[in-house]
Amino acid sequence: MLTLAEENHLKAILSISLINPKKITTNAIAKEISISPASVSDMLKKLLEKKLIKYEKYQGVLLSKKGLTLATNILRKHRLWECFLVNKLKFDWAEVHDIAEQLEHIRSVKLIDKLDSYLNFPKYDPHGEPIPSKNGEFPKNKYTPLNKLCAGEKGKVMGVTIDEKSFLDYLTKLNINIGTNLHVLDIIIFDNSINVLIDDERTHISNDVAKHLLINKL
Amino acid sequence: MLTLAEENHLKAILSISLINPKKITTNAIAKEISISPASVSDMLKKLLEKKLIKYEKYQGVLLSKKGLTLATNILRKHRLWECFLVNKLKFDWAEVHDIAEQLEHIRSVKLIDKLDSYLNFPKYDPHGEPIPSKNGEFPKNKYTPLNKLCAGEKGKVMGVTIDEKSFLDYLTKLNINIGTNLHVLDIIIFDNSINVLIDDERTHISNDVAKHLLINKL
DNA sequence: TATTTTTTTTAGACATATCTAAATTCTTTT
DNA sequence: AAAAGAATTTAGATATGTCTAAAAAAAATA
Ligand SMILES: [Mn+2]
Ligand SMILES: [Mn+2]
Ligand SMILES: [Mn+2]
Ligand SMILES: [Mn+2]
């Protein structure tokens, strides 16, 4: 049985490796969960002891099979709860991540099975993030980050890859939501920012934002 | 902001005082949450420090106004989640208490407001236990514990005052549920147990069980 | 390759929450 | 009212999870 801290470390490792599937550094984990690298080092020893990670001192860390299963299940719970909060309780998409950070630690297999069924077995959460199945498989998506589109291309926003409130609130301010249609006007070479057309309105989007928007190209 | 342990102690004090509204003893709290009396003593110091209880060494404890508000809110969350689990996710009434023990600690005022509304502002949980309102008021009920009925009286089960699995599973075995009609045949003076008629079947119920069954007398 | 910088780990401290055993206080019985 | 018994608190220990500062190792730079 995992403690809350152990679950949070495993989930952090998974989250980081979903973006960049390499060995994960102590510093990256520390940053992800806002604790000191020293504390992460301590925890890595415990997780290694429990065979949840592959780890050699100074050499970075990977999830073991067992660790991956457990971490994926936490992510599954997180995203299912986000669906519940948005689809059933009518929360705004920007409000649910922080609450799901708490709900994801509730322990009951039956609860998650029933929640999944109650929600009609969703494949994506309210941010377009894929929900792993019970046995840990992610639905494939073939979407392109907005920063990979070329001038002139058009597409529809299918999801984001960050679901923190500050990011989502900014998207809302830009009139971007899931389903929004975009038309890339031009790309500024200097900083890789782009000008897009949204609802006939010209909008400027930084590269940092664009790379977290998943687009279904027309 | 309360820690999990603090919340559990406050809730324990409230639960005990709902059954018997006197000064609560250290031992009673210890028993309620299955920890040592020594640990409870430690915690009482902390709760006093935070002005959540009225407490003098060796003299037992009461909730302060602030403590009562917080504890009542935890109970409210517990019972609302139990409604959700039974009414929406179709859990059996015996399965939900343990899961609600976890869910009751989720922190989000908006979540509970929305859950309450989603459930249509229930007044009683699946065990017939009253759900306090947002401002801490309990709906009044005028039901009688089964052990106070006299031979010959009839009534309907409206709720229970324990919602642990072992108790509820036993009720199910006795064919007792919310809404069950009972007819008290006779009371055994020796141990205050009673014989009742349920669905034309004679059933023997101990005093210990009978006192936790709330009856609406016909 | 040697030096400097960065990253990671270790060492030592602290807060929380628990325990058992011993001391203290309260309650009951004689 | 004294003694015995029960309840409560204190003392001291342990486990977990965090921190900062210092040491060690790895990576980057000169
Ligand atoms: Mn999220
Ligand atoms: Mn999400
Ligand atoms: Mn309950
Ligand atoms: Mn209940």
Side-chain angles (χ1 to χ4, degrees):
Chain A
M1 260 264 298
L2 298 181
T3 66
L4 180 60
E6 287 167 343
E7 288 199 349
N8 282 334
H9 279 77
L10 286 182
K11 184 171 61 112
I13 298 169
L14 176 61
S15 301
I16 298 164
S17 57
L18 285 176
I19 294 165
N20 192 348
K22 290 184 200 152
K23 280 198 177 173
I24 308 303
T25 67
T26 301
N27 266 356
I29 299 166
K31 203 169 180 189
E32 175 80 14
I33 55 184
S34 303
I35 64 172
S36 72
S39 302
V40 174
S41 259
D42 277 351
M43 182 56 83
L44 293 182
K45 272 186 238 146
K46 285 186 222 165
L47 295 177
L48 182 64
E49 189 65 34
K50 295 196 174 190
K51 308 221 162 132
L52 300 171
I53 55 174
K54 289 168 191 158
Y55 169 59
E56 274 178 290
K57 263 207 255 184
Y58 294 106
Q59 302 306 307
V61 64
L62 288 177
L63 291 169
S64 70
K65 191 165 178 201
K66 201 167 144 200
L68 178 62
T69 300
L70 291 168
T72 304
N73 191 245
I74 299 166
L75 191 63
R76 170 174 159 79
K77 292 196 278 181
H78 181 102
R79 292 180 178 172
L80 283 172
W81 279 117
E82 286 186 345
C83 287
F84 169 70
L85 295 173
V86 168
N87 300 347
K88 301 294 186 181
L89 297 194
K90 308 302 175 194
F91 272 92
D92 188 271
W93 76 337
E95 303 173 296
V96 298
H97 177 76
D98 291 345
I99 301 176
E101 291 279 320
Q102 299 179 61
L103 287 163
E104 73 192 2
H105 300 289
I106 302 291
R107 256 174 256 280
S108 163
V109 172
K110 194 163 182 181
L111 172 59
I112 295 307
D113 285 350
K114 281 181 173 284
L115 187 64
D116 192 23
S117 147
Y118 186 60
L119 298 168
N120 277 118
F121 310 101
K123 294 261 177 302
Y124 296 92
D125 81 6
H127 314 105
E129 299 177 292
I131 299 174
S133 69
K134 221 186 153 180
N135 50 345
E137 280 151 36
F138 285 83
K140 266 273 149 10
N141 74 29
K142 21 31 183 154
Y143 304 133
T144 318
L146 178 57
N147 64 328
K148 299 292 182 209
L149 264 66
C150 301
E153 287 192 299
K154 292 178 182 184
K156 187 193 287 273
V157 176
M158 303 305 287
V160 296
T161 55
I162 290 183
D163 63 355
E164 271 145 46
K165 185 167 185 352
S166 56
F167 180 64
L168 299 174
D169 282 346
Y170 180 54
L171 292 189
T172 301
K173 210 154 81 182
L174 294 179
N175 271 308
I176 295 171
N177 212 306
I178 289 192
T180 299
N181 288 298
L182 298 175
H183 179 180
V184 176
L185 296 174
D186 61 322
I187 296 166
I188 292 96
I189 308 285
F190 176 66
D191 63 357
N192 290 304
S193 65
I194 57 183
N195 284 306
V196 297
L197 219 53
I198 300 171
D199 300 331
D200 297 326
E201 190 139 350
R202 198 189 171 85
T203 303
H204 180 241
I205 299 179
S206 73
N207 181 265
D208 262 0
V209 166
K211 68 186 176 199
H212 293 296
L213 288 172
L214 295 178
I215 307 300
N216 189 12
K217 287 200 276 186
L218 294 185
Chain B
M1 258 263 299
L2 299 181
T3 66
L4 180 60
E6 287 167 342
E7 289 198 348
N8 281 334
H9 280 77
L10 286 183
K11 185 171 59 111
I13 298 169
L14 176 61
S15 301
I16 298 166
S17 57
L18 285 178
I19 293 167
N20 192 346
K22 291 183 201 153
K23 282 200 176 172
I24 309 300
T25 67
T26 301
N27 266 356
I29 299 166
K31 202 169 180 188
E32 175 81 13
I33 55 183
S34 303
I35 65 172
S36 71
S39 303
V40 173
S41 259
D42 276 353
M43 182 56 83
L44 292 181
K45 271 186 240 146
K46 285 186 221 165
L47 295 177
L48 182 66
E49 190 64 34
K50 294 196 173 190
K51 308 219 162 138
L52 300 171
I53 56 175
K54 290 168 192 157
Y55 170 58
E56 274 178 290
K57 263 207 256 185
Y58 295 103
Q59 302 306 309
V61 64
L62 289 177
L63 291 170
S64 72
K65 190 166 178 197
K66 204 166 144 200
L68 178 63
T69 300
L70 291 168
T72 304
N73 192 245
I74 299 166
L75 191 63
R76 170 173 159 81
K77 291 196 277 182
H78 180 103
R79 292 180 178 173
L80 284 172
W81 279 116
E82 285 187 345
C83 287
F84 170 70
L85 295 173
V86 168
N87 300 347
K88 300 294 185 180
L89 297 194
K90 308 303 177 193
F91 272 93
D92 187 273
W93 76 338
E95 302 173 296
V96 298
H97 177 76
D98 291 346
I99 301 176
E101 290 280 320
Q102 299 178 61
L103 287 163
E104 72 192 5
H105 300 289
I106 301 293
R107 257 173 256 278
S108 164
V109 173
K110 193 163 182 183
L111 173 58
I112 295 306
D113 285 350
K114 282 182 172 282
L115 188 63
D116 193 23
S117 147
Y118 186 61
L119 298 168
N120 276 118
F121 309 102
K123 294 261 177 304
Y124 297 91
D125 82 6
H127 314 105
E129 300 177 291
I131 300 173
S133 70
K134 223 185 152 179
N135 50 346
E137 279 151 37
F138 284 83
K140 266 274 151 8
N141 73 29
K142 32 359 173 187
Y143 305 134
T144 318
L146 177 56
N147 65 328
K148 301 291 183 210
L149 263 67
C150 301
E153 285 191 299
K154 292 178 181 182
K156 189 193 287 272
V157 177
M158 303 306 288
V160 296
T161 55
I162 291 183
D163 63 356
E164 272 146 46
K165 187 167 185 347
S166 56
F167 179 64
L168 300 172
D169 281 347
Y170 180 54
L171 291 188
T172 302
K173 211 154 81 183
L174 295 178
N175 271 307
I176 295 171
N177 212 305
I178 289 190
T180 299
N181 288 298
L182 298 175
H183 178 178
V184 176
L185 297 173
D186 62 321
I187 296 165
I188 292 96
I189 309 285
F190 176 66
D191 62 358
N192 290 303
S193 65
I194 58 182
N195 284 305
V196 297
L197 219 51
I198 300 170
D199 299 332
D200 297 326
E201 191 141 349
R202 198 188 171 85
T203 303
H204 180 243
I205 298 178
S206 73
N207 182 265
D208 261 1
V209 167
K211 69 187 178 200
H212 293 298
L213 287 171
L214 295 178
I215 307 299
N216 189 12
K217 287 200 276 184
L218 293 186

